[in-house]
Each structure stands twice: as structure tokens, then as C-alpha cells.
Amino acid sequence: MIRTEGIADVTEETFEREVLGSALPVLVQFTADWCGPCRQLAPVLGEIALQEAGRIRVVQLDVDRNPGVTVRFGVMATPTLMVFRAGEPVTSMVGARPKRKLLQELEDVLALGQE
């Protein structure tokens, strides 16, 4: 697993509690050790996790070690970023992207938390 400050690891055993049961929206990175774009994205997600703490949680799930969750949510490529709110997936993005673009894509999700 790619270790990045601010990003927790979730597994099939902890997904329900850590993601679906979270009071905050949760950005899940579906990742793999062999995924180059995932490694590129890790520091970006770490910065967002620290910058947006209190508005969104950022976690990662290894697709090779957790195939049940991966299949359940139809993840076909890595990195896939999926945002969950109140136990439901609300948006999904595939591929690495710069921090500014990712924050723009997350703005609707983050804005909902401010209402």
C-alpha cells in the first residue's frame, strides 16, 4: 500500500464503518501497489486530506487485497476516486489529476457539507 500522511487504509472488514458509516463525506482512492498513476496521486490526496480535514475524509483501498468492495462498486481501473456521502456513492472519477482540478471536481461535494 502507498503510505501517505493523512490517508487511512480501509479494507473489506472496515469499509462499512469507516466509509459508509462516516458522518463526513469520504473520498476513497481505489489503488494498487503496481499502479504508477496511483503513486503520482498519493501526495495530492495527502495534501487535500490535510487541507480539507473536517470537511472530507480521504482513505485508500487496495483493489488486489479487497476484491469484494472493488466489485461491489464497479471499479474497473486504478486509480478510481469515489466520494461517499451518507453511505452512498455520489461521484466517481478515474485517473490521476492535479490538485487544483481535483479540488474543482470535489467542490460540489464539499459545498454540500457547508449548508
Side-chain angles (χ1 to χ4, degrees), residues 64-83:
D64 294 326
R65 294 186 187 107
N66 302 281
V69 173
T70 303
V71 170
R72 177 178 171 189
F73 292 102
V75 174
M76 302 290 208
T78 56
T80 292
L81 302 172
M82 199 171 287
V83 178

Side-chain angles (χ1 to χ4, degrees), residues 19 22 39 113:
V19 176
S22 176
R39 283 192 293 279

Side-chain angles (χ1 to χ4, degrees), residues 5-108:
E5 184 181 351
I7 301 177
D9 296 340
V10 294
T11 64
E12 292 187 352
E13 292 75 32
T14 62
F15 191 84
E16 193 85 27
R17 180 181 71 248
E18 297 290 325
V19 176
L20 304 182
S22 176
L24 288 175
V26 181
L27 171 62
V28 179
Q29 178 190 22
F30 290 84
T31 187
D33 290 335
W34 46 262
C35 171
C38 298
R39 283 192 293 279
Q40 289 177 312
L41 191 56
V44 170
L45 292 176
E47 289 177 26
I48 289 172
L50 297 173
Q51 178 182 325
E52 299 298 336
R55 294 204 316 157
I56 192 168
R57 287 190 66 218
V58 181
V59 301
Q60 63 181 358
L61 180 121
D62 186 297
V63 297
D64 294 326
R65 294 186 187 107
N66 302 281
V69 173
T70 303
V71 170
R72 177 178 171 189
F73 292 102
V75 174
M76 302 290 208
T78 56
T80 292
L81 302 172
M82 199 171 287
V83 178
F84 291 81
R85 175 186 289 287
E88 297 294 325
V90 293
T91 190
S92 179
M93 302 159 268
V94 177
R97 58 228 326 113
K99 179 180 173 186
R100 192 184 76 219
K101 184 172 193 300
L102 183 54
L103 282 171
Q104 287 172 341
E105 292 172 319
L106 291 172
E107 195 50 50
D108 289 345

